[in-house]
Amino acid sequence: MNLKVSLNKGEGIEVVWVFSDEACECKKIEALKESKVFKAGVGEVLADLFGESKKLYLGFGKKADINYETIRTAFFKAGRQLATMGESNAFTVVNKIEGKCYGQTNKAVAEGLLQSEYRFDKFISDKKPASPLKDFTITVNDKLEVVEEMVEEIKNVIEGVFLARDLVNEPAMYMTPTALANAARDQLTPLGVDVQILEQKEIEALDMKAFLAVSKGSEEPPKFIIMKWNGDPSSEEKLAIVGKGLTYDSGGYCIKTPGGMSTMHCDMGGGGATIGAMYAIAKNKVKRNVVAVIAACENMISGGAYKTGDIISSMAGKTIHIGSTDAEGRLTLADALYYVATKEKPNRIIDLATLTGAVVAAFSNITTAVVTNDDAFAEEFIAVGERTGELFWKLPTNEKYRKMIKGDTCDLLNSAKGGAGTITAGLFLEEFIENIPWIHLDIAGTAYFDKPDDYLPKGATGIPVKTLYSFVKCDGVCTHGKKD
Ligand code: BES
Ligand code: ZN
Ligand code: ZN
């Protein structure tokens, strides 16, 4: 879809905003609202093709309750409806909403429309034809250039989200560690990101024993992917992003159930979102320095695989007792985190990982759990998520939880007993970050869905690409949208 921003009305069918508690200019619509045929709920649509000009009435619920997320959802539904109706041109007039930033409002309209275009159909023989909706005009009455810039920006961010989704949706038989590394190189190098891929021998030379232990059972070679974006050479500041990159997690000898295993190609969801975020950052030429790493491998079963009861070492030299071969993500992340902390010396670290089933028990597929050693950093990040529409919640940490991952015959346990699995997994990672301000995002529930939820599709969601991007761009002090 070609999104245009203009001071004039566009071509084709007009998408008209309707609030449930405010009179609509069209008397027929008011009558339909009264008779409850059309209630103007968020994303409810009603087409009028018989008037002088074609219109699609789009509901937003109560005016006082409108926010950027309801705008995204409504325009996602409008985009889908226009495509179903076979419309090739459409437009909407965006008016200023009391208490909302005009730029952000337009950005949410654009995002909703763009989100309506995602599909993962490469394996379907009889593909549905591409959406007929070719041109959509966002008609503004102010700030044309600002809005144009913001629409261009969100287009690139959503491309990053779609890239993350595509990488995660790809079956593990194709999306191997090698394929993930190649995708990072092919997608990011043309945008000016420096991509380096370390091979098994180099990973061994770095002493990444924990990462290598997980990879041992697989015939696919591990890859350590390093991506550097130097958007602000004048600054010493640098953020590190670390994504979990298990291209398949069978559970190892602590084998998963068939049901649990069937979606475990999503276990590189953190890595996929890392590549998607780097894409958005580089494509928008964000003036920040970011280094991202992914320790990519498979967790498989073979005569050479690691076993329960093993005591392995790590790049940091800390020894780890393997209580479960299925708690493999934290082992790969331990070395990836220690690598960035010591070799790159960033000011801040964010890791993102489909790390624990426990987070789904706590938060379902709705909220990403946060574990941190720096509450202010976490609050800053969570606040950015409130604007992007991605939900985060910080979990408690204390010495009692830390004690749960301490070993008797070695330093650490990869699998703690006694519940609080998401907290103890996060605190295990904390052992490898060298006291640098850090937040851990457990996206096991939010990276991959069994069924669609509004603009988030079934399968990979691309969470948390949008929040990572916005956090990097604004570094938590974004002035846009502060009014809400
Ligand atoms: N990859 C899984 C976590 C997961 C679960 C991701 C559901 C996506 C959806 C992870 O490696 C795992 O198996 N964790 C174990 C840890 C336990 C053995 C300590 C878990 O959560 O059961
Ligand atoms: Zn696992
Ligand atoms: Zn895993």
Side-chain angles (χ1 to χ4, degrees):
M1 180 191 319
N2 179 24
L3 272 183
K4 288 188 280 194
V5 184
S6 172
L7 286 165
N8 303 314
K9 291 202 171 184
E11 306 260 299
I13 182 165
E14 178 176 3
V15 178
V16 180
W17 301 48
V18 187
F19 295 95
S20 59
D21 58 347
E22 196 181 82
C24 176
E25 61 188 36
C26 172
K27 295 276 170 304
K28 280 185 288 184
I29 292 297
E30 271 312 292
L32 290 173
K33 270 167 69 183
E34 232 143 80
S35 61
K36 304 262 190 288
V37 174
F38 176 70
K39 294 185 197 151
V42 177
E44 208 181 326
V45 286
L46 188 84
D48 180 1
L49 308 176
F50 306 109
E52 260 170 50
S53 53
K54 291 204 280 185
K55 294 209 158 63
L56 181 72
Y57 292 95
L58 178 60
F60 287 86
K62 285 189 186 159
K63 190 150 195 189
D65 294 344
I66 195 167
N67 57 49
Y68 304 128
E69 188 64 357
T70 51
I71 297 171
R72 287 181 198 109
T73 303
F75 272 94
F76 164 79
K77 300 220 166 138
R80 283 285 167 93
Q81 181 67 24
L82 291 167
T84 309
M85 287 159 58
E87 301 292 334
S88 56
N89 290 283
F91 73 97
T92 196
V93 179
V94 181
N95 292 314
K96 173 96 190 66
I97 301 164
E98 180 74 32
K100 295 278 172 286
C101 165
Y102 191 58
Q104 292 289 347
T105 301
N106 279 284
K107 203 168 160 182
V109 170
E111 183 188 332
L113 290 165
L114 294 167
Q115 291 275 13
S116 74
E117 292 204 304
Y118 185 76
R119 48 173 98 175
F120 184 72
D121 60 1
K122 65 187 284 194
F123 295 106
I124 297 173
S125 313
D126 192 13
K127 291 190 211 333
K128 282 196 197 131
S131 168
L133 187 58
K134 292 280 170 283
D135 286 297
F136 194 103
T137 306
I138 296 177
T139 304
V140 293
N141 40 42
D142 194 12
K143 299 195 174 144
L144 176 70
E145 270 139 47
V146 176
V147 174
E148 265 174 347
E149 227 175 80
M150 288 175 92
V151 168
E152 197 50 40
E153 180 186 24
I154 194 69
K155 243 197 239 172
N156 294 332
V157 174
I158 298 304
E159 277 178 22
V161 171
F162 287 6
L163 170 60
R165 287 180 188 170
D166 284 350
L167 295 173
V168 179
N169 281 328
E170 190 79 15
M173 64 187 289
Y174 304 117
M175 189 44 66
T176 58
T178 305
L180 187 66
N182 290 345
R185 190 193 53 217
D186 297 348
Q187 293 288 336
L188 301 178
T189 311
L191 302 178
V193 179
D194 172 36
V195 181
Q196 241 183 301
I197 298 161
L198 305 187
E199 307 292 333
Q200 168 112 18
K201 285 259 167 318
E202 295 156 284
I203 299 167
E204 282 168 6
L206 283 164
D207 236 6
M208 293 188 171
K209 292 202 175 76
F211 174 29
L212 289 165
V214 175
S215 179
K216 257 172 77 183
S218 169
E219 288 185 9
E220 290 291 337
K223 303 278 166 176
F224 193 80
I225 311 164
I226 307 165
M227 297 151 274
K228 291 183 187 169
W229 171 252
N230 245 343
D232 187 4
S234 69
S235 167
E236 293 285 296
E237 297 239 323
K238 180 164 47 176
L239 171 77
I241 303 177
V242 180
K244 175 172 170 180
L246 265 291
T247 60
Y248 192 65
D249 179 12
S250 70
Y253 277 103
C254 300
I255 191 165
K256 289 184 180 293
T257 61
M261 216 185 296
S262 64
T263 56
M264 277 304 134
H265 60 289
C266 84
D267 215 18
M268 36 61 73
T274 299
I275 296 171
M278 289 304 271
Y279 178 98
I281 291 164
K283 192 126 192 234
N284 280 324
K285 298 189 172 57
V286 175
K287 291 189 176 58
R288 306 270 176 206
N289 302 321
V290 187
V291 56
V293 301
I294 303 167
C297 70
E298 290 183 332
N299 185 22
M300 302 295 278
I301 297 173
S302 80
Y306 78 142
K307 310 163 191 74
T308 52
D310 284 355
I311 296 177
I312 62 167
S313 190
S314 57
M315 186 181 176
K318 295 193 183 185
T319 57
I320 306 159
H321 173 267
I322 306 304
S324 170
T325 60
D326 199 10
E328 84 301 332
R330 66 197 75 186
L331 303 172
T332 63
L333 289 163
D335 283 346
L337 287 165
Y338 188 75
Y339 174 90
V340 276
T342 55
K343 303 278 182 200
E344 293 290 335
K345 300 193 169 49
N347 310 79
R348 288 171 151 189
I349 303 176
I350 300 177
D351 81 71
L352 46 149
T354 47
L355 204 60
T356 65
V359 76
V360 187
F363 293 152
S364 183
N365 299 109
I366 297 166
T367 305
T368 296
V370 181
V371 176
T372 186
N373 63 352
D374 183 331
D375 286 342
F377 180 11
E379 296 312 329
E380 227 178 89
F381 190 86
I382 292 167
V384 175
E386 278 162 22
R387 294 203 298 276
T388 62
E390 294 176 338
L391 304 177
F392 300 89
W393 196 263
K394 186 170 74 70
L395 296 176
T397 58
N398 60 44
E399 289 315 310
K400 291 195 188 216
Y401 290 122
R402 285 193 182 88
K403 224 167 116 190
M404 289 170 72
I405 51 159
K406 294 279 150 63
D408 299 327
T409 55
C410 62
D411 302 330
L412 296 168
L413 307 174
N414 86 323
S415 155
K417 291 196 177 66
T422 305
I423 299 174
T424 54
L427 291 177
F428 181 94
L429 303 180
E430 188 191 43
E431 295 285 331
F432 299 91
I433 46 132
E434 299 286 281
N435 291 322
I436 296 170
W438 151 85
I439 57 175
H440 156 66
L441 310 173
D442 193 333
I443 55 169
T446 49
Y448 198 90
F449 284 1
D450 292 340
K451 51 179 185 339
D453 180 17
D454 289 335
Y455 64 78
L456 296 173
K458 178 174 185 233
T461 61
I463 288 174
V465 170
K466 292 193 293 173
T467 310
L468 280 174
Y469 171 81
S470 292
F471 180 81
V472 170
K473 167 89 191 293
C474 309
D475 210 10
V477 288
C478 180
T479 48
H480 289 304
K482 273 275 157 173
K483 284 186 211 150
D484 46 72

